[in-house]
Amino acid sequence: MSDSSRPTIEITLLERQYVIACPPDEESKLERAARYLDRAMQGIHAQGKVVDREKVAIMAALNIANELLETQDEQRAHEQSLSELSQRLEKALADAPSR
């Protein structure tokens, strides 16, 4: 498939339009991600400390990566707690007297 025939979608980041190659079945996910990234970039830009678009994008990417890693850590902790509870339940059931 040539580049000219690849499906694309237009997104807006920090008031600038970008055309991104995207399969039709992934458009809603890309639009959602673009909105999330745009909000993150707008927040950084609004603080006025970072003006350069590239630096704003890098700061937003780092913030989002940090959010992702924190969420993954929390998920692992929850999974560990569930595993421990499951093991305790299995042991309690195994130790319970039979009827």
Side-chain angles (χ1 to χ4, degrees):
M1 188 180 281
S2 69
D3 285 345
S4 62
S5 63
R6 291 176 64 190
T8 60
I9 186 171
E10 188 172 290
I11 62 168
T12 303
L13 298 173
L14 209 54
E15 300 173 0
R16 184 176 286 177
Q17 306 294 320
Y18 297 91
V19 176
I20 307 292
C22 179
D25 60 335
E26 296 288 321
E27 284 183 7
S28 63
K29 290 180 185 178
L30 178 59
E31 288 171 342
R32 183 176 177 217
R35 284 191 306 271
Y36 190 85
L37 177 56
D38 184 54
R39 282 192 304 272
M41 291 175 70
Q42 292 286 352
I44 292 167
H45 185 69
Q47 292 176 2
K49 296 177 183 174
V50 181
V51 179
D52 180 77
R53 286 180 190 273
E54 183 177 327
K55 289 180 182 178
V56 169
I58 290 169
M59 291 301 300
L62 287 171
N63 288 341
I64 292 169
N66 186 56
E67 289 174 12
L68 172 65
L69 293 173
E70 286 179 354
T71 300
Q72 287 176 338
D73 289 345
E74 289 173 8
Q75 182 178 355
R76 284 187 199 103
H78 291 306
E79 288 172 356
Q80 180 65 32
S81 293
L82 284 174
S83 178
E84 290 170 4
L85 285 172
S86 178
Q87 289 173 4
R88 287 176 54 197
L89 179 59
E90 287 175 13
K91 182 177 182 335
L93 290 171
D95 293 346
S98 299
R99 288 189 180 214

